[in-house]
Amino acid sequence: MTIESIIPAHLCETAAWPDFISSLCEEIRALAESEQSRFAFAESCSSGLAAASIGEIAGISQYFCGSKVTYRDNTKHEWLAVTRDTLNRFTAVSEFTADEMVAGLLTSTSEADIGIAITGHLGPDAPAEIDGHVFTAIGFRDESNTDSFRVWTQEIRLNCKSRRDRQREAASLVLWCLRQVLLIKHAHRIVQLADAAPVYITSTPDGMEQPSDLLFPGAFNPIHDGHREMAEIASTLRGQEVVLELSIENVDKPTLSQTDCICRVLPLLFEF
């Protein structure tokens, strides 16, 4: 998928970027405080820009554990335990490398309950199949067993042309992914409160908002082509965006844990 659907290119190509990234980082600080979450980054192609951006926020040391900037393959191996076999077989620009980066990050950062890793090729002179492609891995600890964690990875195609702007896109993506996990954690906690209204998570900087009346409820475990076809038909018939609704409590099924919700909602955020 392209990054344009979540972070418009003009925000990274113009003077609007500092205000955009500052607002995103402030929202992350507020959510991390609300959920008492700590996080860490493993950055390759973003070269520490995500860490530098979040580090400008006063008081963020309560929640930001740090970032391992691992630009070269050997550093990925030595600092994050990415295996040489993975690097040799799949290269640094791969889902497998991103997975191992975030696994190594969380294994070596006991305080962090969320880890975000990114690796990719910003160009120029990259082969067409990987030019401007990045892999972002999102790791989060299982709330029932903090010694274990889940990893979800997404390939993203950047839209900007210059290396500087692509690096901004990559850093923005790291921070956006962190924000989304924090929003899911926040939503899960809020909807479990007595008489709480539903919470809808969006990809916009507005965070959460009440949706239109075109709701599509489901378990989405996982989302499949039938869901996509029904959503497309409903949207066409009504001329509205479909809002997917995941129920935490169900009459005939166990209540979804925070970890369950993150696993189910993350793929939806990149698709809808």
Side-chain angles (χ1 to χ4, degrees):
M1 67 172 294
T2 175
I3 198 172
E4 183 71 19
S5 60
I6 53 179
I7 301 171
H10 75 271
L11 291 175
C12 299
E13 294 173 334
T14 67
W17 192 76
D19 288 340
F20 161 70
I21 209 70
S22 177
S23 175
L24 181 57
C25 289
E26 288 284 4
E27 186 179 4
I28 287 169
R29 187 209 61 78
L31 285 166
E33 180 179 15
S34 171
E35 302 314 306
Q36 289 298 293
S37 283
R38 291 193 173 100
F39 54 88
F41 303 144
E43 301 183 68
S44 183
C45 57
S46 58
S47 195
L49 185 55
S53 299
I54 197 72
E56 292 186 5
I57 305 301
I60 200 63
S61 62
Q62 293 293 317
Y63 314 105
F64 178 40
C65 299
S67 181
K68 293 189 176 186
V69 182
T70 56
Y71 217 75
R72 289 179 56 81
D73 286 4
N74 197 53
T75 314
K76 291 180 176 67
H77 171 68
E78 292 182 346
W79 291 11
L80 294 169
V82 178
T83 65
R84 296 195 188 281
D85 180 63
T86 293
L87 292 165
N88 291 335
R89 289 176 62 195
F90 303 109
T91 79
V93 187
S94 69
E95 175 183 351
F96 305 97
T97 295
D99 286 352
E100 292 188 21
M101 286 174 66
V102 82
L105 175 67
L106 286 176
T107 299
S108 61
T109 315
S110 60
E111 281 191 317
D113 56 273
I114 304 170
I116 312 290
I118 190 166
T119 184
H121 204 311
L122 302 184
D125 304 324
E129 63 271 16
I130 62 171
D131 184 32
H133 284 244
V134 300
F135 290 86
T136 303
I138 303 169
F140 43 96
R141 295 195 190 277
D142 193 319
E143 63 182 317
S144 63
N145 178 12
T146 56
D147 290 333
S148 67
F149 50 82
R150 317 280 185 95
V151 176
W152 189 82
T153 307
Q154 177 71 43
E155 181 180 8
I156 300 285
R157 186 175 73 253
L158 305 179
N159 272 354
C160 294
K161 300 303 181 184
S162 76
R163 185 177 179 84
R164 183 204 66 175
D165 293 341
R166 283 181 173 180
Q167 194 170 72
R168 287 180 171 182
E169 283 184 304
S172 300
L173 180 60
V174 169
L175 295 164
W176 184 87
C177 289
L178 171 61
R179 169 187 174 272
Q180 299 309 97
V181 177
L182 289 168
L183 277 173
I184 298 169
K185 288 165 70 77
H186 180 70
H188 182 270
R189 180 174 60 82
I190 292 299
V191 297
Q192 289 190 306
L193 298 176
D195 301 321
V199 177
Y200 294 93
I201 302 172
T202 72
S203 60
T204 67
D206 296 327
M208 292 173 285
E209 58 188 24
Q210 295 298 326
S212 69
D213 60 357
L214 190 55
L215 294 179
F216 181 7
F220 309 115
N221 186 33
I223 189 168
H224 53 68
D225 288 342
H227 293 132
R228 297 181 182 95
E229 186 175 351
M230 285 189 287
E232 183 177 353
I233 291 171
S235 182
T236 300
L237 290 175
R238 292 290 299 274
Q240 290 178 266
E241 290 287 331
V242 171
V243 175
L244 305 185
E245 183 177 71
L246 175 67
S247 298
I248 292 178
E249 295 183 356
N250 296 277
V251 173
D252 58 342
K253 297 176 183 177
T255 298
L256 296 183
S257 69
Q258 186 182 91
T259 305
D260 292 330
C261 289
I262 295 173
C263 290
R264 296 190 194 187
V265 174
L266 274 178
L268 305 180
L269 295 175
F270 282 90
E271 184 167 344
F272 284 86

